Short mmCIF file of all heavy atoms in Angstrom, two decimals:
data_model
loop_
_atom_site.label_atom_id
_atom_site.label_comp_id
_atom_site.label_asym_id
_atom_site.label_seq_id
_atom_site.Cartn_x
_atom_site.Cartn_y
_atom_site.Cartn_z
N CYS P 143 49.96 33.81 -26.60
CA CYS P 143 48.72 33.07 -26.87
C CYS P 143 48.80 31.62 -26.39
O CYS P 143 47.78 30.99 -26.19
CB CYS P 143 48.41 33.10 -28.37
SG CYS P 143 49.61 32.22 -29.37
N SER P 144 50.02 31.09 -26.22
CA SER P 144 50.14 29.69 -25.80
C SER P 144 51.47 29.46 -25.09
O SER P 144 52.38 30.29 -25.15
CB SER P 144 50.04 28.77 -27.01
OG SER P 144 51.17 28.94 -27.84
N GLU P 145 51.57 28.33 -24.44
CA GLU P 145 52.82 27.95 -23.77
C GLU P 145 53.93 27.73 -24.79
O GLU P 145 55.10 27.96 -24.51
CB GLU P 145 52.61 26.68 -22.94
CG GLU P 145 51.70 26.88 -21.73
CD GLU P 145 52.32 27.76 -20.66
OE1 GLU P 145 53.56 27.77 -20.51
OE2 GLU P 145 51.55 28.44 -19.96
N ARG P 146 53.57 27.28 -25.98
CA ARG P 146 54.57 27.06 -27.02
C ARG P 146 55.25 28.37 -27.43
O ARG P 146 56.46 28.42 -27.63
CB ARG P 146 53.94 26.38 -28.22
CG ARG P 146 54.97 25.85 -29.20
CD ARG P 146 54.32 25.11 -30.32
NE ARG P 146 53.91 26.10 -31.30
CZ ARG P 146 53.06 25.91 -32.27
NH1 ARG P 146 52.48 24.75 -32.40
NH2 ARG P 146 52.75 26.85 -33.11
N CYS P 147 54.46 29.43 -27.54
CA CYS P 147 55.04 30.73 -27.87
C CYS P 147 55.91 31.26 -26.73
O CYS P 147 56.94 31.90 -26.98
CB CYS P 147 53.94 31.72 -28.22
SG CYS P 147 53.19 31.42 -29.84
N ILE P 148 55.53 30.98 -25.50
CA ILE P 148 56.35 31.38 -24.35
C ILE P 148 57.68 30.65 -24.40
O ILE P 148 58.75 31.26 -24.22
CB ILE P 148 55.62 31.09 -23.03
CG1 ILE P 148 54.37 31.96 -22.91
CG2 ILE P 148 56.54 31.31 -21.84
CD1 ILE P 148 53.46 31.60 -21.77
N ALA P 149 57.65 29.35 -24.70
CA ALA P 149 58.90 28.57 -24.78
C ALA P 149 59.79 29.09 -25.91
O ALA P 149 61.01 29.18 -25.76
CB ALA P 149 58.58 27.10 -24.98
N GLU P 150 59.19 29.46 -27.05
CA GLU P 150 59.97 29.99 -28.17
C GLU P 150 60.59 31.34 -27.80
O GLU P 150 61.74 31.61 -28.12
CB GLU P 150 59.08 30.14 -29.40
CG GLU P 150 59.76 30.77 -30.59
CD GLU P 150 60.91 29.96 -31.16
OE1 GLU P 150 60.99 28.75 -30.90
OE2 GLU P 150 61.74 30.55 -31.87
N HIS P 151 59.83 32.17 -27.11
CA HIS P 151 60.35 33.47 -26.66
C HIS P 151 61.53 33.27 -25.70
O HIS P 151 62.56 33.94 -25.82
CB HIS P 151 59.24 34.27 -25.99
CG HIS P 151 59.67 35.59 -25.47
ND1 HIS P 151 59.94 36.66 -26.30
CD2 HIS P 151 59.91 36.03 -24.21
CE1 HIS P 151 60.31 37.69 -25.56
NE2 HIS P 151 60.29 37.33 -24.28
N GLU P 152 61.40 32.35 -24.76
CA GLU P 152 62.48 32.08 -23.81
C GLU P 152 63.70 31.52 -24.54
O GLU P 152 64.83 31.86 -24.20
CB GLU P 152 61.99 31.11 -22.74
CG GLU P 152 60.99 31.74 -21.79
CD GLU P 152 60.33 30.74 -20.87
OE1 GLU P 152 60.46 29.52 -21.09
OE2 GLU P 152 59.66 31.19 -19.91
N ARG P 153 63.48 30.68 -25.55
CA ARG P 153 64.60 30.14 -26.32
C ARG P 153 65.34 31.25 -27.05
O ARG P 153 66.56 31.31 -27.04
CB ARG P 153 64.11 29.10 -27.32
CG ARG P 153 65.25 28.42 -28.09
CD ARG P 153 64.75 27.57 -29.23
NE ARG P 153 64.14 28.35 -30.30
CZ ARG P 153 64.82 29.03 -31.22
NH1 ARG P 153 66.13 29.05 -31.19
NH2 ARG P 153 64.19 29.70 -32.17
N ARG P 154 64.60 32.16 -27.67
CA ARG P 154 65.22 33.27 -28.39
C ARG P 154 65.98 34.18 -27.44
O ARG P 154 67.06 34.66 -27.77
CB ARG P 154 64.17 34.07 -29.15
CG ARG P 154 63.63 33.35 -30.34
CD ARG P 154 62.65 34.23 -31.08
NE ARG P 154 62.02 33.53 -32.18
CZ ARG P 154 61.14 34.07 -32.99
NH1 ARG P 154 60.78 35.34 -32.85
NH2 ARG P 154 60.60 33.36 -33.95
N MET P 155 65.40 34.45 -26.28
CA MET P 155 66.06 35.34 -25.33
C MET P 155 67.30 34.70 -24.73
O MET P 155 68.29 35.38 -24.48
CB MET P 155 65.09 35.76 -24.23
CG MET P 155 63.93 36.61 -24.73
SD MET P 155 64.42 38.02 -25.74
CE MET P 155 65.21 39.03 -24.52
N SER P 156 67.29 33.38 -24.51
CA SER P 156 68.47 32.71 -23.97
C SER P 156 69.58 32.63 -25.00
O SER P 156 70.75 32.60 -24.66
CB SER P 156 68.12 31.32 -23.47
OG SER P 156 67.77 30.47 -24.55
N ALA P 157 69.21 32.63 -26.29
CA ALA P 157 70.22 32.60 -27.36
C ALA P 157 70.78 33.98 -27.64
O ALA P 157 71.72 34.13 -28.40
CB ALA P 157 69.62 32.00 -28.63
N GLY P 158 70.18 35.00 -27.04
CA GLY P 158 70.67 36.37 -27.22
C GLY P 158 70.04 37.07 -28.41
O GLY P 158 70.42 38.18 -28.74
N ALA P 159 69.08 36.44 -29.07
CA ALA P 159 68.44 37.07 -30.22
C ALA P 159 67.30 37.96 -29.74
O ALA P 159 66.54 37.59 -28.86
CB ALA P 159 67.89 36.01 -31.16
N ALA P 160 67.18 39.13 -30.31
CA ALA P 160 66.10 40.04 -29.93
C ALA P 160 64.82 39.66 -30.67
O ALA P 160 64.85 39.11 -31.75
CB ALA P 160 66.50 41.47 -30.28
N CYS P 161 63.70 39.96 -30.06
CA CYS P 161 62.41 39.65 -30.68
C CYS P 161 62.08 40.63 -31.80
O CYS P 161 61.32 40.31 -32.69
CB CYS P 161 61.29 39.72 -29.65
SG CYS P 161 61.36 38.39 -28.45
N GLU P 162 62.63 41.81 -31.72
CA GLU P 162 62.31 42.82 -32.71
C GLU P 162 63.38 42.84 -33.79
O GLU P 162 64.56 42.66 -33.53
CB GLU P 162 62.23 44.19 -32.04
CG GLU P 162 61.16 44.23 -30.98
CD GLU P 162 61.28 45.45 -30.10
OE1 GLU P 162 62.14 46.30 -30.37
OE2 GLU P 162 60.52 45.53 -29.13
N VAL P 163 62.94 43.06 -35.01
CA VAL P 163 63.86 43.12 -36.14
C VAL P 163 64.53 44.48 -36.15
O VAL P 163 63.86 45.51 -36.07
CB VAL P 163 63.10 42.90 -37.47
CG1 VAL P 163 64.03 43.04 -38.65
CG2 VAL P 163 62.42 41.54 -37.46
N LYS P 164 65.84 44.50 -36.24
CA LYS P 164 66.57 45.75 -36.28
C LYS P 164 66.58 46.29 -37.70
O LYS P 164 66.78 45.55 -38.65
CB LYS P 164 68.00 45.56 -35.79
CG LYS P 164 68.09 45.23 -34.34
CD LYS P 164 69.51 45.16 -33.88
CE LYS P 164 69.58 44.84 -32.41
NZ LYS P 164 70.95 44.77 -31.94
N ARG P 165 66.36 47.59 -37.83
CA ARG P 165 66.36 48.22 -39.14
C ARG P 165 67.78 48.61 -39.52
O ARG P 165 68.56 49.04 -38.68
CB ARG P 165 65.48 49.45 -39.12
CG ARG P 165 64.03 49.09 -38.87
CD ARG P 165 63.19 50.29 -38.86
NE ARG P 165 63.30 50.93 -40.17
CZ ARG P 165 62.47 51.83 -40.62
NH1 ARG P 165 61.50 52.24 -39.88
NH2 ARG P 165 62.63 52.37 -41.81
N ARG P 166 68.09 48.45 -40.80
CA ARG P 166 69.41 48.85 -41.28
C ARG P 166 69.47 50.37 -41.41
O ARG P 166 68.48 51.02 -41.70
CB ARG P 166 69.69 48.24 -42.65
CG ARG P 166 69.88 46.78 -42.61
CD ARG P 166 70.39 46.19 -43.88
NE ARG P 166 69.97 46.91 -45.06
CZ ARG P 166 70.27 46.55 -46.28
NH1 ARG P 166 70.97 45.48 -46.49
NH2 ARG P 166 69.87 47.25 -47.33
N HIS P 167 70.64 50.89 -41.20
CA HIS P 167 70.84 52.32 -41.36
C HIS P 167 70.87 52.64 -42.85
O HIS P 167 71.35 51.85 -43.66
CB HIS P 167 72.17 52.71 -40.70
CG HIS P 167 72.30 54.17 -40.49
ND1 HIS P 167 72.87 54.99 -41.42
CD2 HIS P 167 71.91 54.98 -39.48
CE1 HIS P 167 72.84 56.24 -40.99
NE2 HIS P 167 72.26 56.24 -39.79
N TRP P 168 70.38 53.80 -43.25
CA TRP P 168 70.28 54.12 -44.66
C TRP P 168 71.64 54.24 -45.33
O TRP P 168 71.74 54.04 -46.54
CB TRP P 168 69.47 55.39 -44.87
CG TRP P 168 70.10 56.65 -44.35
CD1 TRP P 168 70.02 57.16 -43.11
CD2 TRP P 168 70.94 57.52 -45.08
NE1 TRP P 168 70.74 58.29 -43.00
CE2 TRP P 168 71.33 58.55 -44.20
CE3 TRP P 168 71.42 57.56 -46.38
CZ2 TRP P 168 72.15 59.58 -44.59
CZ3 TRP P 168 72.25 58.61 -46.77
CH2 TRP P 168 72.60 59.60 -45.87
N LEU P 169 72.70 54.51 -44.58
CA LEU P 169 74.03 54.61 -45.19
C LEU P 169 74.58 53.25 -45.62
O LEU P 169 75.45 53.18 -46.47
CB LEU P 169 75.02 55.27 -44.22
CG LEU P 169 74.86 56.77 -44.05
CD1 LEU P 169 75.79 57.28 -42.96
CD2 LEU P 169 75.13 57.49 -45.35
N SER P 170 74.06 52.16 -45.05
CA SER P 170 74.52 50.84 -45.45
C SER P 170 73.63 50.22 -46.53
O SER P 170 73.81 49.07 -46.89
CB SER P 170 74.56 49.91 -44.23
OG SER P 170 73.27 49.73 -43.71
N ASP P 171 72.68 50.99 -47.05
CA ASP P 171 71.74 50.49 -48.05
C ASP P 171 72.34 50.63 -49.46
O ASP P 171 72.69 51.73 -49.89
CB ASP P 171 70.44 51.29 -47.96
CG ASP P 171 69.32 50.68 -48.77
OD1 ASP P 171 69.52 49.60 -49.35
OD2 ASP P 171 68.24 51.29 -48.81
N PRO P 172 72.47 49.53 -50.21
CA PRO P 172 73.02 49.61 -51.56
C PRO P 172 72.13 50.40 -52.51
O PRO P 172 72.61 50.90 -53.52
CB PRO P 172 73.15 48.16 -51.99
CG PRO P 172 72.28 47.37 -51.10
CD PRO P 172 72.18 48.14 -49.83
N TRP P 173 70.83 50.53 -52.20
CA TRP P 173 69.94 51.31 -53.07
C TRP P 173 70.24 52.81 -52.97
O TRP P 173 69.76 53.59 -53.78
CB TRP P 173 68.48 51.04 -52.72
CG TRP P 173 68.04 49.70 -53.18
CD1 TRP P 173 67.90 48.58 -52.42
CD2 TRP P 173 67.71 49.31 -54.51
NE1 TRP P 173 67.51 47.53 -53.19
CE2 TRP P 173 67.38 47.96 -54.49
CE3 TRP P 173 67.67 49.99 -55.72
CZ2 TRP P 173 67.01 47.26 -55.63
CZ3 TRP P 173 67.29 49.28 -56.86
CH2 TRP P 173 66.97 47.95 -56.80
N VAL P 174 71.02 53.21 -52.01
CA VAL P 174 71.46 54.60 -51.91
C VAL P 174 72.78 54.78 -52.66
O VAL P 174 72.95 55.71 -53.44
CB VAL P 174 71.62 55.02 -50.43
CG1 VAL P 174 72.27 56.39 -50.32
CG2 VAL P 174 70.28 55.01 -49.73
N TRP P 175 73.71 53.86 -52.43
CA TRP P 175 75.06 54.02 -52.97
C TRP P 175 75.19 53.69 -54.45
O TRP P 175 76.00 54.31 -55.15
CB TRP P 175 76.06 53.20 -52.16
CG TRP P 175 76.23 53.79 -50.82
CD1 TRP P 175 75.75 53.33 -49.63
CD2 TRP P 175 76.88 55.03 -50.52
NE1 TRP P 175 76.06 54.17 -48.62
CE2 TRP P 175 76.77 55.24 -49.13
CE3 TRP P 175 77.54 55.98 -51.27
CZ2 TRP P 175 77.29 56.35 -48.50
CZ3 TRP P 175 78.06 57.10 -50.63
CH2 TRP P 175 77.94 57.27 -49.27
N ALA P 176 74.43 52.75 -54.97
CA ALA P 176 74.53 52.40 -56.39
C ALA P 176 74.15 53.58 -57.30
O ALA P 176 74.91 53.93 -58.22
CB ALA P 176 73.70 51.17 -56.70
N PRO P 177 73.01 54.25 -57.08
CA PRO P 177 72.70 55.40 -57.94
C PRO P 177 73.67 56.56 -57.76
O PRO P 177 74.02 57.25 -58.72
CB PRO P 177 71.30 55.82 -57.52
CG PRO P 177 70.73 54.67 -56.79
CD PRO P 177 71.88 53.91 -56.23
#
């Protein structure tokens, strides 16, 4: 939508961070193991 968002995207990509949030695997979820 703007040049500022483009700059933020480029900053994230140069830092190696992905734009999409990675989901945790269900085996690492404490809500599974505690019960």
Side-chain angles (χ1 to χ4, degrees):
C143 66
S144 67
E145 292 292 330
R146 192 176 84 196
C147 287
I148 294 170
E150 176 64 20
H151 179 74
E152 289 170 348
R153 184 190 67 78
R154 288 183 185 181
M155 295 309 291
S156 68
C161 290
E162 299 167 5
V163 177
K164 292 184 179 180
R165 295 181 61 164
R166 291 190 329 182
H167 195 269
W168 67 273
L169 285 174
S170 64
D171 191 4
W173 286 102
V174 172
W175 290 106

